[in-house]
């Protein structure tokens, strides 16, 4: 159920309920791209990219990755990073959304930064929980597995609370007329993929919209529109029993082949492999 991978830079804790292949490229750079959820506990400043978007952090932090997000650490110097991963079959974030509220906040959130900043006390508290999980990782008794899930849930709850507090402060400080861009994408992303449509809504040029949106969300509108489509495709594959052809049609593709080709280009694996590796959620309809 658990295995551990270590080298002189990284300690990784993997939590899963079925046998899955995990491959990692660890050298001067560190990369992740597979069907697990990740919580990376970073002790110092770091530079990394997620799905080709660059981030730079200057203090202790937690970074969150959803299945098949491409992560690359860019620091060349030695760095203390602990990496906890879990499969959706072990802990379903959608099933536990009422208790933890991390889906759409920590994970599967394209509109906000994929990390939280931590003070010394918060970092130490999460590190202790990581250690408790590590102590239990090779255990198989049901009560020990329940403890691991409980520790994981506490980690996610602490981080979700901190993230929501940060978002509340940020939103109140940065609110402007383009703050509604998120709602606009949510309403129209399936049909309207051109930046011109959104620029027309605000009566500004494409360039002006790109500048304003990037300043607010850290990404240009073209990236947000594309990421929202990809997120919806992942949701349909993970949270429904719909066949891939049906999902392709609902997402605006007339042919499953072109949907699969586009999905693989964006995600790195085909829709079929994504569903096989990530699995269908216990809350799927």
């Amino acid at each position: 159920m658990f295995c551990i991978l270590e080298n002189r830079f990284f300690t990784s804790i993997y939590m899963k309920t079925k046998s899955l292949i995990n491959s990692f490229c660890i050298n001067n750079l560190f990369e992740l791209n597979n069907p697990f959820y990740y919580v990376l506990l970073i002790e110092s400043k770091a530079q990394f990219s997620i799905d080709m978007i660059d981030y730079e952090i200057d203090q202790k932090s937690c970074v969150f990755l959803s299945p098949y997000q491409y992560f690359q650490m860019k620091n060349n110097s030695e760095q203390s990073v602990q990496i906890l991963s879990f499969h959706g079959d072990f802990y379903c974030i959608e099933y536990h959304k009422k208790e933890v509220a991390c889906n759409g906040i920590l994970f599967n959130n394209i509109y906000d930064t994929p990390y939280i900043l931590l003070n010394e006390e918060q970092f130490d508290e999460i590190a202790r929980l990581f250690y408790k999980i590590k102590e239990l990782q090779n255990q198989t008794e049901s009560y020990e597995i329940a403890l691991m899930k409980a520790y994981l849930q506490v980690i996610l709850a602490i981080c979700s609370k901190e993230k929501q507090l940060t978002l509340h402060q940020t939103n109140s400080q940065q609110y402007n007329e383009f703050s509604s861009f998120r709602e606009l994408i949510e309403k129209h992303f399936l049909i309207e993929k051109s930046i011109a449509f959104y620029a027309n809504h605000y009566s500004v040029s494409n360039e002006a919209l790109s500048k304003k949106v990037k300043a607010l969300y850290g990404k240009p509108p073209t990236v947000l529109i594309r990421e929202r489509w990809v997120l919806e495709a992942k949701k349909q594959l993970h949270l429904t029993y719909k066949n891939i052809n049906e999902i392709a049609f609902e997402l605006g593709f007339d042919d499953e082949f072109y949907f699969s080709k586009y999905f693989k280009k964006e995600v790195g694996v085909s829709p079929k492999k994504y569903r096989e590796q990530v699995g269908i959620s216990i809350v799927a309809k």
Side-chain angles (χ1 to χ4, degrees):
M1 179 169 296
F2 293 84
C3 63
I4 185 165
L5 171 66
E6 293 184 317
N7 72 3
R8 65 190 181 120
F9 303 120
F10 298 95
T11 301
S12 301
I13 307 167
Y14 300 99
M15 306 198 299
K16 55 188 178 180
T17 58
K18 62 181 181 181
S19 178
L20 293 173
I21 297 174
N22 299 284
S23 61
F24 299 89
C25 177
I26 303 178
N27 41 50
N28 289 334
L29 300 177
F30 181 78
E31 299 178 346
L32 293 170
N33 184 30
N34 54 53
F36 292 85
Y37 294 92
Y38 284 90
V39 181
L40 286 73
L41 189 61
I42 303 177
E43 192 168 358
S44 58
K45 63 182 181 179
Q47 296 175 0
F48 57 87
S49 67
I50 298 176
D51 293 337
M52 310 308 291
I53 303 295
D54 292 333
Y55 299 93
E56 185 170 355
I57 297 174
D58 60 3
Q59 67 181 78
K60 299 177 188 299
S61 61
C62 258
V63 178
F64 309 94
L65 303 173
S66 301
Y68 284 110
Q69 282 195 292
Y70 177 65
F71 173 90
Q72 184 180 58
M73 183 71 80
K74 294 189 172 183
N75 295 62
N76 291 321
S77 58
E78 293 187 15
Q79 181 150 210
S80 175
V81 178
Q82 295 184 67
I83 305 173
L84 183 153
S85 75
F86 61 97
H87 192 272
D89 287 351
F90 178 81
Y91 185 90
C92 177
I93 62 173
E94 181 68 15
Y95 180 79
H96 292 282
K97 64 182 180 181
K98 289 185 178 179
E99 299 100 316
V100 180
C102 64
N103 195 11
I105 302 295
L106 303 178
F107 304 103
N108 300 316
N109 182 357
I110 66 170
Y111 300 106
D112 302 301
T113 53
Y115 59 83
I116 59 171
L117 301 178
L118 303 172
N119 59 36
E120 197 77 35
E121 183 180 353
Q122 292 167 328
F123 181 90
D124 290 345
E125 183 177 11
I126 295 172
R128 284 193 293 270
L129 290 165
F130 267 53
Y131 181 76
K132 288 179 181 294
I133 291 172
K134 185 177 178 180
E135 283 189 315
L136 292 168
Q137 65 182 349
N138 295 317
Q139 306 306 315
T140 58
E141 295 293 338
S142 58
Y143 68 88
E144 292 166 324
I145 294 171
L147 273 175
M148 285 185 277
K149 289 183 179 181
Y151 291 142
L152 172 60
Q153 184 158 305
V154 172
I155 290 171
L156 297 179
I158 291 171
C159 293
S160 183
K161 177 183 177 182
E162 182 61 26
K163 182 67 172 179
Q164 291 181 71
L165 289 172
T166 301
L167 289 177
H168 178 74
Q169 294 170 357
T170 302
N171 291 340
S172 62
Q173 294 170 358
Q174 295 185 349
Y175 181 82
N176 61 47
E177 62 178 311
F178 295 95
S179 298
S180 62
F181 186 70
R182 173 174 182 164
E183 287 70 34
L184 201 62
I185 287 184
E186 291 298 317
K187 185 176 180 180
H188 297 289
F189 76 93
L190 286 176
I191 305 297
E192 303 293 347
K193 299 178 176 64
S194 169
I195 187 175
F197 169 83
Y198 300 93
N200 288 337
H201 175 84
Y202 290 106
S203 300
V204 298
S205 67
N206 291 359
E207 293 76 13
L209 179 67
S210 294
K211 184 178 179 180
K212 292 290 186 179
V213 169
K214 188 172 182 179
L216 192 60
Y217 295 100
K219 305 172 186 176
T222 50
V223 171
L224 285 171
I225 295 166
R226 185 180 73 246
E227 287 186 347
R228 184 60 185 88
W229 182 92
V230 171
L231 180 58
E232 187 63 25
K234 288 180 175 180
K235 284 182 176 180
Q236 293 290 328
L237 290 166
H238 181 54
L239 297 177
T240 78
Y241 289 101
K242 297 174 184 176
N243 61 54
I244 294 176
N245 190 57
E246 185 180 359
I247 294 172
F249 180 76
E250 290 185 5
L251 294 179
F253 288 82
D254 295 328
D255 187 286
E256 180 183 334
F257 171 78
Y258 290 106
F259 166 67
S260 297
K261 185 177 180 180
Y262 184 81
F263 185 89
K264 186 172 183 179
K265 177 185 175 183
E266 294 295 327
V267 180
V269 294
S270 68
K272 180 180 179 182
K273 184 174 180 180
Y274 182 88
R275 176 170 268 178
E276 288 174 349
Q277 296 293 303
V278 176
I280 297 179
S281 171
I282 57 173
V283 301
K285 299 178 181 179

